């Protein structure tokens, strides 16, 4: 009994000492470590990518993250220009933009919204601009970054991640792609897969890249699976209440009318949820399951193995869907002050 009391007393004193000494640390000297984001998007063929880049820029404007680069995983000529259009709208025209390699998927959306958006904002000339290769942007940005500091969020194909991991030493770094990721990347958040098993578009569309990327990746991965965004509907608010000059408002309004050939009030929020959880604490919005292993085959089919610790995690729903939709809709309403 005396021994137990003695240990308890010591722990209590340590707690009090910590509480008393805490205020002596100047808050002004404690700089919060905000996520440093590389955003990797197919910017189509669906249009939840519009919401994703809007959410990302809104969070950056709030000081919650820093956008290091925005790269395209779809090789269609309209994709990188649309990313550049959005970066410029949010007053960040100098964010590096990259385009994928030749083996990446290359197609527009079914209703051609990327091309129509560029035409609407008189930005067709951006298609003539030459952008760097995505893997080059990755290596350059990572080489400059502090160790274990970068969060990569993918809301498209895994083509660029695969190319990064297979990349060789270059003028930016003497490290291989895998070693560069080990040193510089903190974690990867991916809108990918279905849980506990399934076949999801971002993984299966470039199945070879998905298989290579998942199996070689050396750091933690958090998956926002198909079933997460499929239940959260957003976009109607910004389409109706966004300003006349907002490409986000225009993009949602156009797609809600035309994407499925019928009028929609809102759209699923697959990509937006991944961005939200890459920047903010995901457990604030969802349950985080794991660790386990995301097992993917060469055809793009996936299963979840809870008995193997590969440092993989996945989200599952915690709240009524509308609660998360309200958070995303409010972020998507953000507009820069010109």
């Amino acid at each position: 009994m005396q021994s137990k009391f003695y240990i308890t007393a010591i722990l209590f004193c340590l707690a009090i000492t910590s509480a008393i000494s805490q205020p002596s640390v100047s808050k002004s000297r404690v700089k919060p470590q905000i996520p440093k984001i590389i955003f990797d998007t197919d910017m189509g063929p669906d249009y939840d990518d519009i919401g994703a880049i809007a959410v990302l820029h809104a969070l950056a404007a709030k000081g919650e993250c820093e956008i290091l680069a925005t790269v395209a995983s779809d090789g269609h000529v309209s994709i990188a220009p649309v990313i550049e259009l959005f970066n410029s709208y949010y007053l960040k025209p100098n964010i590096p933009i990259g385009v994928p390699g030749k083996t990446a998927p290359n197609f527009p959306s079914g209703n051609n919204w990327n091309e129509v958006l560029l035409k609407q904002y008189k930005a067709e000339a951006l298609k003539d601009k030459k952008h760097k290769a995505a893997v080059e942007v990755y290596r350059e940005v990572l080489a400059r970054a502090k160790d274990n500091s970068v969060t990569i969020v993918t809301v498209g194909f895994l083509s660029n991640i695969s190319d990064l991991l297979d990349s060789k030493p270059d003028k930016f770094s003497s490290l291989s792609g895998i070693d560069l990721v080990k040193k510089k990347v903190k974690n990867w958040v991916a809108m990918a897969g279905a849980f506990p098993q399934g076949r999801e578009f971002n993984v299966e569309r470039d199945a070879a890249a998905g298989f290579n990327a998942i199996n070689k990746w050396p750091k933690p991965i958090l998956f926002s699976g198909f079933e997460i965004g499929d239940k959260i509907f957003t976009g109607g608010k910004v389409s109706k209440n966004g300003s006349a000059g907002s490409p986000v408002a225009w993009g949602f309004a156009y797609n809600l009318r035309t994407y499925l050939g019928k009028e929609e009030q809102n759209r699923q929020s697959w990509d937006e949820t991944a961005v939200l959880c890459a920047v903010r604490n995901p457990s604030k919005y969802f349950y985080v399951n794991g660790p386990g292993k995301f097992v993917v085959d060469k055809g793009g089919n996936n299963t979840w193995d809870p008995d193997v610790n590969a440092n993989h995690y996945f989200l599952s729903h915690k709240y009524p869907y509308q609660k998360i939709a309200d958070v995303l809709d409010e972020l998507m309403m953000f507009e820069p002050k010109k």
Side-chain angles (χ1 to χ4, degrees), residues 31-65:
K31 189 174 181 180
Q33 297 299 309
I34 61 173
K36 313 292 185 181
I37 303 290
I38 297 178
F39 179 60
D40 192 325
T41 171
D42 54 356
M43 197 50 69
D46 213 323
Y47 58 97
D48 50 332
D49 303 78
I50 297 175
I53 200 167
V55 167
L56 180 63
H57 276 286
L59 292 169
K62 290 173 174 288
E64 295 185 42
C65 67

Side-chain angles (χ1 to χ4, degrees), residues 36-41 53-54 56-61 65-72 80-99 126 129-132 137-138 140-141 144:
K36 313 292 185 181
I37 303 290
I38 297 178
F39 179 60
D40 192 325
T41 171
I53 200 167
L56 180 63
H57 276 286
L59 292 169
C65 67
E66 179 184 352
I67 307 171
L68 301 181
T70 50
V71 298
V82 167
I83 295 172
E84 186 164 358
L85 186 155
F86 281 115
N87 287 349
S88 296
Y89 169 71
Y90 286 109
L91 310 181
K92 300 283 187 177
N94 297 320
I95 293 176
I97 296 172
V99 294
L126 291 175
K129 186 173 180 179
K130 184 172 177 59
H131 293 95
K132 291 182 178 181
V137 172
Y138 265 112
E140 182 175 6
V141 171
R144 291 200 307 259

Side-chain angles (χ1 to χ4, degrees), residues 81-139:
V82 167
I83 295 172
E84 186 164 358
L85 186 155
F86 281 115
N87 287 349
S88 296
Y89 169 71
Y90 286 109
L91 310 181
K92 300 283 187 177
N94 297 320
I95 293 176
I97 296 172
V99 294
K102 293 181 180 179
T103 61
N106 184 320
F107 56 89
S109 55
N111 65 344
N112 214 29
W113 71 259
N114 306 73
E115 296 278 1
V116 179
L117 182 66
L118 291 172
K119 184 176 181 180
Q120 173 69 20
Y121 286 87
K122 299 178 173 56
E124 295 110 316
L126 291 175
K127 291 191 292 184
D128 298 324
K129 186 173 180 179
K130 184 172 177 59
H131 293 95
K132 291 182 178 181
V135 68
E136 182 178 351
V137 172
Y138 265 112
R139 290 189 60 85

Side-chain angles (χ1 to χ4, degrees), residues 8-330:
T8 302
I10 290 176
L11 292 174
F12 180 78
C13 289
L14 287 173
I16 292 296
T17 302
S18 176
I20 293 173
S21 63
Q22 187 66 32
S24 66
V25 179
S26 173
K27 291 184 178 180
S28 63
R29 292 184 302 183
V30 179
K31 189 174 181 180
Q33 297 299 309
I34 61 173
K36 313 292 185 181
I37 303 290
I38 297 178
F39 179 60
D40 192 325
T41 171
D42 54 356
M43 197 50 69
D46 213 323
Y47 58 97
D48 50 332
D49 303 78
I50 297 175
I53 200 167
V55 167
L56 180 63
H57 276 286
L59 292 169
K62 290 173 174 288
E64 295 185 42
C65 67
E66 179 184 352
I67 307 171
L68 301 181
T70 50
V71 298
S73 61
D74 185 324
H76 190 268
V77 67
S78 66
I79 306 302
V82 167
I83 295 172
E84 186 164 358
L85 186 155
F86 281 115
N87 287 349
S88 296
Y89 169 71
Y90 286 109
L91 310 181
K92 300 283 187 177
N94 297 320
I95 293 176
I97 296 172
V99 294
K102 293 181 180 179
T103 61
N106 184 320
F107 56 89
S109 55
N111 65 344
N112 214 29
W113 71 259
N114 306 73
E115 296 278 1
V116 179
L117 182 66
L118 291 172
K119 184 176 181 180
Q120 173 69 20
Y121 286 87
K122 299 178 173 56
E124 295 110 316
L126 291 175
K127 291 191 292 184
D128 298 324
K129 186 173 180 179
K130 184 172 177 59
H131 293 95
K132 291 182 178 181
V135 68
E136 182 178 351
V137 172
Y138 265 112
R139 290 189 60 85
E140 182 175 6
V141 171
L142 289 177
R144 291 200 307 259
K146 292 182 179 180
D147 292 355
N148 200 44
S149 68
V150 177
T151 293
I152 295 172
V153 53
T154 60
V155 296
F157 316 119
L158 307 188
S159 314
N160 294 328
I161 299 296
S162 178
D163 288 347
L164 169 62
L165 292 170
D166 288 344
S167 64
K168 307 299 182 184
D170 59 9
K171 62 182 178 181
F172 303 116
S173 173
S174 60
L175 298 175
S176 69
I178 290 179
D179 287 337
L180 189 59
V181 167
K182 284 180 180 178
K183 185 175 183 180
K184 300 293 186 173
V185 174
K186 181 178 181 181
N187 65 319
W188 173 17
V189 179
M191 193 279 111
F195 295 84
Q197 64 183 64
R199 180 179 175 86
E200 187 273 322
F201 184 79
N202 288 344
V203 178
E204 64 87 11
R205 188 69 191 192
D206 190 352
F211 181 84
N212 188 57
I214 297 298
N215 284 292
K216 287 183 178 178
W217 186 261
K219 302 300 282 284
I221 312 175
L222 174 64
F223 293 91
S224 181
F226 176 86
E227 66 284 349
I228 296 299
D230 191 50
K231 301 296 186 181
I232 301 168
F233 287 81
T234 61
K237 182 176 181 178
V238 71
S239 74
K240 294 181 178 69
N241 302 320
S243 72
S246 167
V248 175
W250 189 94
F252 269 101
Y254 176 80
N255 280 296
L256 286 169
R257 291 194 312 270
T258 66
Y259 187 75
L260 293 182
K262 61 179 181 179
E263 187 81 18
E264 290 185 290
Q265 297 302 309
N266 285 287
R267 184 62 177 160
Q268 284 100 324
S269 307
W270 293 289
D271 294 352
E272 295 95 331
T273 57
V275 171
L276 180 68
C277 291
V279 176
R280 291 181 175 173
N281 182 355
S283 63
K284 182 178 179 181
Y285 304 102
F286 301 97
Y287 293 116
V288 178
N289 304 278
K293 183 176 182 180
F294 182 86
V295 182
V296 61
D297 66 23
K298 292 183 178 180
N301 304 289
N302 80 267
T303 57
W304 176 255
D305 186 346
D307 298 322
V308 177
N309 183 358
N311 227 354
H312 298 169
Y313 303 81
F314 72 93
L315 304 175
S316 59
H317 283 288
K318 177 190 292 188
Y319 293 109
Y321 310 132
Q322 191 59 46
K323 180 180 176 70
I324 310 302
D326 290 343
V327 173
L328 295 173
D329 269 329
E330 189 61 33

